[in-house]
Amino acid sequence: MSDIVTLPMVRWSGVEGRPLVIAGPCSAESEDQVLETARRLHGARVDYFRAGIWKARTRPANFEGIGDAALPWLARAGEEFGMKTATEVATAAHVEAALRHGIDLLWIGARTTVNPFSVQEIADALRGVTVPVLIKNPTSPDMGLWIGAIERVNRAGVRALGVIHRGFSVADAGRYRNAPMWELAIEFRRMHPEIPIITDPSHITGRRDLIQDVAQRAMELGLDGLMIEAHPNPDQAWSDAAQQVTPERLGEILHHLKVRRETSADAGFLASLEALRQRIDHLDHDLLDLLAERMRVVEEIADYKRDNNVATLQVSRWSALLEDRVARGVALGLAPEYAQALYEIIHRESVRRQSEIMNQEPSD
């Protein structure tokens, strides 16, 4: 059981029955730029207008944000165009400055989440504060760091909590800037169903042409909202130009989203779904029985190898097996990546079990 105590998202956002939307420029560059973005987003169903005030950058030569001087611009944009405001904080001083200017929502960035000392400093500055706080996943796929950051902020008394899923920095992110690793978002939802998950397609993709697809995927998984960077002239943005869209394009993305319900009250649908789930349950039980039987054969092989002083791994056999199983999976309609990943897991456990047996003394 989780000891994290939170308020439902509708209590602090006012949003129910549709995704929460946080949008605005990656960085506040000038008062005119902030106000123009807010003006063009007005009416696009944006719940929180965001702008980066302080920007954590890997190298000091990159634009690191205007700083405190930009906070009045963000506050003014919210007031003039009737939107709540949001910005990222990375220090206690950032928290204090943002609260002085009436910013409505704060989030802790991925580069801060990785450092428990920084998160604790922010948590201490948030004691007694009622503004919502969102916590981005750390840059690395480390669920413990992510949950630990949430716990620190929650123990400081913050109850209006959520998380931002912005992808993870891994060696092979494919076509994305940060690998979405949807399985981690799903696992987080399983562990903490009470905490809303906001997906950040801008940071996941790193390129504006993929934002629609990632936003739709988040909706297919039943996640709770989106954070998307919008700029009046994206190609001229001072930071992360390639991943920002115009306010008008953001409106199109939101308009074309297909938002799925978590379930349906239709009795026919529920009955049919339950019957299909029972079939899945039976097949899973059969599958586990077969895997257990396969492992028993693996254990017999390990005994023979040990008795004949043969190494656990034969690379040629493994290569041939993998090629055959993937090809068979494809012939049966499975994606090759799925079949390969499945057999890599099976083989890894087979090697582990064989090694374990081969290091035991043989029985009589």
Side-chain angles (χ1 to χ4, degrees):
M1 291 291 291
S2 170
D3 59 357
I4 298 173
V5 180
T6 63
L7 292 172
M9 188 177 78
V10 66
R11 290 270 301 276
W12 54 262
S13 71
V15 174
E16 187 174 21
R18 64 173 179 81
L20 177 75
V21 177
I22 303 169
C26 175
S27 300
E29 300 165 1
S30 69
E31 185 170 22
D32 288 344
Q33 172 247 11
V34 170
L35 292 174
E36 181 184 355
T37 309
R39 178 183 62 80
R40 289 165 60 180
L41 284 173
H42 183 59
R45 211 200 68 201
V46 172
D47 302 295
Y48 287 87
F49 178 67
R50 57 146 290 160
I53 306 299
W54 308 275
K55 303 298 295 182
R57 291 295 177 228
T58 304
R59 304 183 65 179
N62 295 330
F63 175 61
E64 296 183 299
I66 297 292
D68 292 22
L71 285 167
W73 310 342
L74 180 57
R76 180 183 169 191
E79 291 171 3
E80 289 195 9
F81 298 101
M83 289 183 283
K84 297 176 183 177
T85 54
T87 198
E88 179 179 338
V89 293
T91 68
H94 293 170
V95 173
E96 293 160 4
L99 294 176
R100 278 199 308 272
H101 287 83
I103 305 305
D104 300 296
L105 178 147
L106 308 177
W107 79 83
I108 299 174
R111 298 185 187 189
T112 305
T113 307
V114 299
N115 187 332
F117 293 109
S118 297
V119 174
Q120 189 60 56
E121 176 188 337
I122 294 170
D124 291 339
L126 288 167
R127 291 188 186 279
V129 168
T130 58
V131 298
V133 178
L134 307 180
I135 301 169
K136 283 196 173 185
N137 64 253
T139 52
S140 60
D142 189 327
M143 188 70 78
L145 270 178
W146 199 4
I147 294 174
I150 297 163
E151 290 173 337
R152 289 177 186 276
V153 173
N154 192 235
R155 288 177 183 179
V158 178
R159 299 292 179 260
L161 270 178
V163 298
I164 301 173
H165 162 237
R166 50 83 74 193
F168 301 86
S169 299
V170 295
D172 182 14
R175 58 180 182 163
Y176 299 120
R177 175 181 176 182
N178 294 295
M181 299 186 74
W182 297 105
E183 65 274 16
L184 290 185
I186 293 168
E187 176 62 7
F188 185 95
R189 171 53 50 87
R190 185 191 69 80
M191 295 171 65
H192 296 284
E194 75 283 5
I195 301 178
I197 303 175
I198 313 301
T199 291
D200 180 348
S202 301
H203 278 89
I204 288 175
T205 64
R207 40 189 282 199
R208 62 181 67 100
D209 60 310
L210 298 177
I211 288 176
Q212 179 85 61
D213 291 344
V214 170
Q216 184 58 52
R217 181 67 183 278
M219 297 300 98
E220 299 292 344
L221 294 175
L223 303 187
D224 303 286
L226 299 167
M227 176 182 278
I228 300 177
E229 293 181 349
H231 190 286
N233 190 359
D235 290 331
Q236 302 303 314
W238 295 1
S239 59
D240 291 343
Q243 68 189 39
Q244 300 193 66
V245 297
T246 64
E248 292 72 27
R249 174 59 186 147
L250 175 66
E252 294 173 359
I253 290 170
L254 297 177
H255 177 72
H256 288 100
L257 278 183
K258 296 180 177 65
V259 180
R260 309 297 186 185
R261 295 172 296 176
E262 184 175 351
T263 186
S264 169
D266 181 80
F269 164 82
L270 293 173
S272 298
L273 184 62
E274 180 59 26
L276 291 170
R277 284 174 170 169
Q278 287 182 11
R279 287 175 59 189
I280 288 286
D281 290 343
H282 290 308
L283 289 168
D284 281 347
H285 296 161
D286 292 343
L287 181 59
L288 289 169
D289 289 342
L290 287 171
L291 288 173
E293 178 63 25
R294 187 185 194 279
M295 187 58 73
R296 286 189 283 273
V297 176
V298 166
E299 291 168 352
E300 290 186 39
I301 291 173
D303 285 332
Y304 281 117
K305 287 180 177 178
R306 181 190 57 205
D307 295 344
N308 290 275
N309 199 31
V310 173
T312 301
L313 177 63
Q314 283 79 47
V315 175
S316 59
R317 161 66 179 167
W318 164 232
S319 296
L321 182 150
L322 183 63
E323 182 178 352
D324 175 79
R325 303 310 190 264
V326 170
R328 182 171 177 79
V330 170
L332 292 170
L334 301 178
E337 299 84 2
Y338 174 58
Q340 178 164 333
L342 178 63
Y343 268 90
E344 285 175 347
I345 292 172
I346 291 173
H347 183 255
R348 186 163 60 247
E349 178 60 15
S350 297
V351 170
R352 186 202 66 78
R353 182 62 182 134
Q354 284 191 50
S355 297
E356 186 177 71
I357 291 173
M358 292 177 72
N359 284 307
Q360 296 173 353
E361 291 295 327
S363 63
D364 292 341

